[in-house]
């Protein structure tokens, strides 16, 4: 069974990589992802300067998923560019990048454009946890403005990480904008922003930043991820690939996201809860499911979801 997939110029031998922000802030963590059964690595979203992030506790696991308000802790863009320049892996590395204001996001991409880095880059337009900053992906004008500025100078493979959308008209409007740019891919979805997990015993919220509000990941959000991948696959130019992210804990979940049109799939909360062994387990479950169904490669079923009849 062939599990390979391509996005732009990159070939992934297996379709599972880590979601940005999961096991990827330090060189030690990133090397562990590369040494695991993951098909590639995404870096923690990098900002121009290093950031400590929000006060702890800022991540909490539940039976059905997680809540986080990390606040973009990262080692700074130079650190991730150096790591990539010095690693000898043959697995693709996706450099995630962002900023707390538009000028910083542009400056970060200008630095990447001027560097020797030739891989793919993911512009995160959807961090829900920076105090006082809205998610750009929910603002159509701001999204258009940043992509106009970016594609004035940026020529390397670029994707955008999007927040979840919940209305069919949002998909129409967003896809109409995204289709105007030479994007290599979109990644749907980031965490479902500003949810609330509370503890009934102590009658308190479970994380400290933002009064307890934070991004929800894990099993709670799989139907939202499936919907976003499906809705964008139905609306985007076929040249724009899709990374499907959200709520995967089994090989069947991966199969479902690919059926909706995902090219590769990212693991977030499941890796926080189970560790890097999740990659090998879920790869095997996907392989077994494909074998049982008589599928030999991902293109045998990618995007083939049928309507009810
Ligand atoms: O660091 C975070 O708080 C964070 C980011 Br940048 C993001 O994009 N998504 C998320 O759930 N947390």
């Amino acid at each position: 069974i062939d599990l390979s997939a391509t996005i732009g110029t990159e070939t992934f031998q297996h379709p599972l990589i880590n979601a940005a922000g999961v096991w990827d802030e330090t060189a030690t963590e990133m090397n562990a992802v590369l040494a695991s059964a993951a098909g590639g690595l995404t870096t923690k979203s990098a900002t121009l300067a290093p950031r400590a992030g929000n006060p702890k506790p800022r991540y909490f696991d539940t039976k059905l998923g997680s809540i986080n308000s990390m606040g973009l802790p990262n080692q700074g863009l130079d650190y991730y560019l150096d790591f990539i320049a010095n690693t000898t892996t043959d697995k693709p590395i996706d450099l995630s990048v962002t900023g707390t204001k538009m000028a910083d996001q542009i400056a970060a991409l200008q630095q990447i454009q001027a560097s020797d880095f030739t891989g793919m880059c993911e512009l995160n337009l959807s961090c829900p946890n920076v105090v006082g900053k809205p998610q750009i992906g929910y603002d159509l004008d701001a999204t258009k403005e940043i992509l106009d500025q970016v594609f004035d100078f940026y020529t390397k493979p670029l994707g955008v990480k999007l927040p979840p959308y919940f209305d069919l008209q949002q998909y129409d409007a967003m896809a109409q904008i995204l289709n105007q740019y030479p994007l290599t891919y979109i990644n749907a979805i980031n965490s479902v922003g500003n949810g609330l997990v509370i503890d009934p015993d102590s009658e308190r919220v479970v994380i400290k930043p933002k009064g307890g509000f934070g991004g929800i990941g894990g099993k709670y959000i799989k139907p939202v991820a499936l919907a976003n991948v499906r809705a964008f696959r139905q609306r985007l130019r076929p040249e724009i690939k899709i990374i499907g992210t959200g709520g995967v804990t089994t090989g069947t979940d991966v199969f479902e996201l690919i059926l909706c049109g995902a090219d590769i799939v990212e693991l977030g909360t499941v890796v926080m809860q189970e560790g890097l062994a999740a990659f090998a387990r879920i790869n095997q479950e996907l392989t077994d499911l494909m074998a049982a169904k008589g599928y030999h490669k991902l293109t045998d079923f990618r995007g083939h979801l049928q309507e009810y009849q």
Side-chain angles (χ1 to χ4, degrees):
I1 288 193
D2 176 8
L3 291 182
S4 69
T6 56
I7 293 193
T9 54
E10 306 284 357
T11 297
F12 297 79
Q13 292 310 320
H14 304 284
L16 303 180
I17 67 177
N18 65 303
V22 176
W23 220 290
D24 60 358
E25 187 187 340
T26 65
T28 305
E29 292 174 301
M30 293 187 286
N31 281 321
V33 172
L34 289 169
S36 79
L41 167 72
T42 314
T43 71
K44 173 65 188 175
S45 292
T47 50
L48 283 173
R51 286 172 56 91
N54 290 338
K56 295 177 181 174
R58 58 193 185 184
Y59 177 91
F60 186 86
D61 282 315
T62 73
K63 188 163 160 283
L64 293 176
S66 65
I67 185 168
N68 89 84
S69 185
M70 304 301 290
L72 211 35
N74 78 95
Q75 306 286 320
L77 179 58
D78 290 337
Y79 179 94
Y80 299 98
L81 284 171
D82 283 351
F83 175 84
I84 294 167
N86 292 313
T87 184
T88 55
T89 184
D90 49 14
K91 294 179 179 179
I93 300 180
D94 194 357
L95 174 59
S96 177
V97 65
T98 192
T100 58
K101 52 183 199 280
M102 201 175 294
D104 288 353
Q105 305 208 3
I106 297 296
L109 284 170
Q110 281 169 335
Q111 186 179 333
I112 295 165
Q113 177 68 25
S115 75
D116 292 333
F117 176 76
T118 57
M120 61 187 214
C121 188
E122 177 167 293
L123 177 61
N124 184 355
L125 299 179
S126 46
C127 176
N129 302 328
V130 177
V131 175
K133 301 288 176 181
Q135 294 164 81
I136 295 181
Y138 284 139
D139 181 334
L140 294 173
D141 292 333
T143 299
K144 207 182 301 186
E145 190 183 335
I146 193 167
L147 292 177
D148 273 340
Q149 288 192 38
V150 166
F151 285 110
D152 260 354
F153 67 88
Y154 199 81
T155 59
K156 298 177 182 182
L158 187 72
V160 286
K161 180 80 171 266
L162 299 173
Y165 299 98
F166 301 95
D167 190 282
L168 298 185
Q169 294 197 22
Q170 292 178 306
Y171 297 122
D172 291 342
M174 200 59 197
Q176 195 264 334
I177 291 171
L178 298 171
N179 277 333
Q180 294 170 22
Y181 300 96
L183 283 168
T184 299
Y185 75 91
I186 65 153
N187 186 334
I189 56 176
N190 208 316
S191 56
V192 171
N194 296 296
L196 192 58
V197 172
I198 65 179
D199 173 24
D201 294 332
S202 61
E203 304 177 8
R204 264 199 332 219
V205 299
V206 298
I207 57 174
K208 182 162 179 176
K210 292 179 63 175
F213 289 84
I216 305 295
K219 288 179 180 172
Y220 300 110
I221 74 167
K222 190 182 79 169
V224 181
L226 291 173
N228 274 259
V229 169
R230 172 70 162 173
F232 276 116
R233 188 65 288 159
Q234 291 174 316
R235 289 166 175 78
L236 292 177
R237 292 186 287 111
E239 297 78 26
I240 302 179
K241 303 284 181 123
I242 299 182
I243 299 180
T245 307
V248 170
T249 62
T250 68
T252 302
D253 296 333
V254 177
F255 180 82
E256 290 180 5
L257 277 165
I258 297 174
L259 208 54
C260 288
D263 288 278
I264 66 169
V265 169
E266 290 184 347
L267 306 185
T269 298
V270 70
V271 172
M272 296 297 291
Q273 298 189 343
E274 182 178 333
L276 296 172
F279 287 104
R281 175 182 64 79
I282 295 173
N283 258 330
Q284 188 59 51
E285 290 173 359
L286 175 63
T287 304
D288 293 346
L289 179 61
M290 286 172 63
K293 285 175 172 280
Y295 291 137
H296 303 287
K297 49 193 190 311
L298 303 180
T299 49
D300 289 344
F301 60 93
R302 179 178 291 124
H304 289 187
L305 181 65
Q306 297 173 54
E307 297 202 357
Y308 195 90
Q309 49 206 350

